[in-house]
Amino acid sequence: MDEKCISKAVIRRLPRYYRYLGELLEDGVERISSNELSTKMRVTASQIRQDLNNFGGFGQQGYGYNVQYLYTEIGKILGLDRTHNMIIIGAGNLGQALANYVQFEKRGFKVVGIFDVNPVLKGISIRGNEILMMDELPQYLKDNDVQIAALTLPKNNAEETANLLVENGIKAIWNFAHLDLEVPEDVIVENVHLSESLMRLSYNLNCYVTEHKK
Amino acid sequence: MDEKCISKAVIRRLPRYYRYLGELLEDGVERISSNELSTKMRVTASQIRQDLNNFGGFGQQGYGYNVQYLYTEIGKILGLDRTHNMIIIGAGNLGQALANYVQFEKRGFKVVGIFDVNPVLKGISIRGNEILMMDELPQYLKDNDVQIAALTLPKNNAEETANLLVENGIKAIWNFAHLDLEVPEDVIVENVHLSESLMRLSYNLNCYVTEHKK
DNA sequence: TAGATTGTTAATCGATTAACAATC
DNA sequence: TAGATTGTTAATCGATTAACAATC
């Protein structure tokens, strides 16, 4: 298969297409043209067609795109047609929030384990998962098929924990810690740096104020 | 002042520079060249110099950049030299996690109020903030100076809540709900779409598998 | 068939990288 | 002064938009 590397900009937009198509589907819309969709999403129709054609021709000339079909296909591209088992490392507020978030499972991301170093948390149950201690992790990963680990712990422990995860076969890390992880190149890291997001917000807030002071 | 619009790509990178400079500062590093920093951050030295020169010449030929000075200046650009009051709308798991996150306050983002519609939560205290009911919000915003509202609630209430916030003078929304908010153009929206992040992770995971199946 | 809309090529735009003169 | 490194211009690269032939 001649699966060329798709640009990151395109991948970044895919989940958003998926979301809009899901909404159209809920509204019972059967077909949509790139032009209609472009209006809704505030992007160009050209971009939509270019993006989709990275993966193949999902549309039909003179008709547009079948919403259900396109939704399903993008879902497949994003890997939402299969189940991914996920563990959460760090059972603090954020870790627990992720563990409690029901919607992920609907998309095929199933939280199967939660780990922490704090013995106070040991055995506490979150949506059917008892919090386990970190020293149980290596054995757990041998016994269970886990693809994704969400890292929701302070940055000082993050690097060594990431190494431990990689050593035990984890292939994808959803990183919420405030640092850039150093991992082998076959391990995927997706960063969610909340504080950086908040700083961008702050930048724009000041920017606006500055501009109007002129 | 001739504050031109800086490209989003540059803004996106600023908080990361800030983070690295903060670490250098902690390590007692006094000066750094764009070349050294580029090695650490795995970007080009050219990009660093271009990015910084959008805001002015912070360096010195033959010397490089003074870490403390550059750190402070980027902080100012990002608006971290002032305090921003923030409220959280939605006291679910994620809202509580944000409210409990101590680091934000260090950067000048102070959680001053938490709101929810669920009467069960009324009066529960989170780091000194009692959860208030949504009907108290308009009066609260009249009595308090709040710039930022974090939206951590289900998407079906998000749009109308955003409208309410905007009507009551909120100028920046940190949106965690899974939808694109429609707000007046002077209102800043910074999105954190966790499920989209997870989908990108999933895409890359499958991608890798696919490529090696060849 | 005629009209609509895609898939795709070509043109444009913007962002990144390279190069180097300015200067500390 | 000589060496180092910035600030900045020019060259390259990639991504977005426009245009249109293909085709349903």
Side-chain angles (χ1 to χ4, degrees):
Chain A
M1 213 170 288
D2 140 88
E3 182 115 2
K4 251 197 243 120
C5 199
I6 311 288
S7 96
K8 275 191 181 176
V10 175
I11 307 307
R12 178 158 291 278
R13 289 191 288 267
L14 279 185
R16 189 156 176 267
Y17 291 135
Y18 190 74
R19 175 155 54 85
Y20 273 84
L21 288 164
E23 282 170 16
L24 287 168
L25 210 52
E26 276 178 28
D27 296 347
V29 178
E30 213 169 85
R31 61 165 283 271
I32 194 158
S33 68
S34 57
N35 204 43
E36 285 173 277
L37 189 57
S38 79
T39 307
K40 260 187 198 297
M41 295 185 64
R42 297 171 194 268
V43 295
T44 63
S46 227
Q47 181 163 76
I48 293 176
R49 295 203 298 276
Q50 284 276 22
D51 283 355
L52 296 179
N53 274 88
N54 280 296
F55 303 97
F58 299 130
Q60 195 168 83
Q61 282 97 331
Y63 173 83
Y65 299 88
N66 178 286
V67 175
Q68 172 70 70
Y69 175 68
L70 187 55
Y71 179 77
T72 309
E73 289 303 312
I74 295 181
K76 282 186 203 163
I77 293 165
L78 290 170
L80 308 178
D81 56 338
R82 56 189 89 176
T83 300
H84 297 280
N85 288 333
M86 176 160 74
I87 55 173
I88 294 171
I89 313 292
N93 289 294
L94 185 56
Q96 294 200 22
L98 293 183
N100 273 302
Y101 195 64
V102 191
Q103 304 297 312
F104 294 145
E105 194 158 337
K106 215 178 62 182
R107 293 280 144 77
F109 303 99
K110 193 173 180 199
V111 176
V112 294
I114 309 166
F115 294 84
D116 205 294
V117 288
N118 187 350
V120 171
L121 296 169
K122 184 169 183 167
I124 291 177
S125 182
I126 298 175
R127 288 220 314 135
N129 286 301
E130 281 187 10
I131 296 174
L132 303 175
M133 293 293 99
M134 278 301 285
D135 51 23
E136 303 174 72
L137 181 61
Q139 189 59 46
Y140 180 93
L141 288 175
K142 282 185 188 74
D143 297 342
N144 294 275
D145 182 33
V146 179
Q147 292 85 49
I148 303 172
L151 267 196
T152 53
L153 38 67
K155 72 170 172 192
N156 45 313
N157 308 320
E159 194 68 66
E160 78 179 299
T161 306
N163 291 338
L164 184 71
L165 288 164
V166 169
E167 279 163 29
N168 286 280
I170 287 288
K171 282 286 172 251
I173 296 177
W174 199 18
N175 178 41
F176 289 76
H178 298 160
L179 83 172
D180 298 321
L181 296 172
E182 306 274 339
V183 296
E185 63 169 349
D186 66 330
V187 176
I188 291 136
V189 175
E190 168 76 23
N191 290 306
V192 180
H193 291 321
L194 292 182
S195 62
E196 297 191 3
S197 171
L198 193 48
M199 287 184 207
R200 283 191 290 272
L201 176 79
S202 167
Y203 170 85
N204 287 306
L205 198 52
N206 289 297
C207 223
Y208 181 74
V209 172
T210 317
E211 227 167 310
H212 282 244
K213 263 190 195 154
K214 273 192 289 203
Chain B
M1 214 170 293
D2 141 84
E3 183 115 2
K4 251 195 242 121
C5 200
I6 310 289
S7 96
K8 276 192 182 175
V10 175
I11 307 307
R12 178 158 291 277
R13 288 190 290 266
L14 278 186
R16 189 157 176 267
Y17 291 134
Y18 190 74
R19 175 155 54 84
Y20 273 84
L21 288 163
E23 283 170 15
L24 287 168
L25 211 52
E26 275 178 30
D27 295 347
V29 178
E30 211 169 86
R31 61 166 282 270
I32 194 158
S33 69
S34 57
N35 204 44
E36 286 173 277
L37 189 58
S38 78
T39 307
K40 259 186 199 299
M41 296 186 64
R42 296 171 194 267
V43 296
T44 63
S46 226
Q47 182 163 78
I48 293 176
R49 294 203 299 275
Q50 283 277 21
D51 284 354
L52 296 179
N53 274 88
N54 281 295
F55 303 96
F58 298 129
Q60 195 169 81
Q61 283 98 331
Y63 172 83
Y65 298 88
N66 178 286
V67 175
Q68 172 69 71
Y69 175 67
L70 187 54
Y71 178 77
T72 309
E73 288 303 312
I74 295 181
K76 282 186 204 162
I77 293 165
L78 291 169
L80 307 178
D81 55 338
R82 56 189 89 176
T83 301
H84 297 279
N85 288 333
M86 176 160 75
I87 55 173
I88 294 171
I89 314 291
N93 289 293
L94 185 57
Q96 295 200 20
L98 292 184
N100 274 301
Y101 195 65
V102 190
Q103 304 298 313
F104 293 146
E105 194 159 337
K106 215 179 63 184
R107 293 279 143 78
F109 303 99
K110 192 171 180 201
V111 176
V112 293
I114 309 166
F115 294 83
D116 204 294
V117 288
N118 187 349
V120 171
L121 296 169
K122 184 168 183 170
I124 291 178
S125 181
I126 297 175
R127 290 219 314 134
N129 287 302
E130 279 187 10
I131 296 174
L132 303 175
M133 293 293 98
M134 278 302 285
D135 51 23
E136 303 174 72
L137 181 62
Q139 189 58 47
Y140 181 94
L141 288 176
K142 282 186 186 74
D143 298 341
N144 295 274
D145 182 33
V146 180
Q147 293 85 49
I148 303 171
L151 267 197
T152 53
L153 38 67
K155 72 170 174 193
N156 44 314
N157 307 319
E159 194 69 64
E160 82 179 297
T161 305
N163 290 339
L164 183 71
L165 288 164
V166 169
E167 278 164 28
N168 286 280
I170 287 287
K171 282 286 171 251
I173 297 178
W174 199 18
N175 179 40
F176 288 77
H178 298 159
L179 85 170
D180 298 322
L181 296 172
E182 306 273 340
V183 297
E185 63 169 349
D186 66 330
V187 177
I188 290 137
V189 175
E190 167 77 21
N191 290 306
V192 180
H193 291 321
L194 291 182
S195 63
E196 297 191 4
S197 170
L198 193 47
M199 288 184 205
R200 283 191 290 272
L201 176 78
S202 167
Y203 170 85
N204 287 305
L205 198 52
N206 288 298
C207 223
Y208 181 76
V209 173
T210 317
E211 225 168 309
H212 283 242
K213 263 189 196 155
K214 273 192 289 202

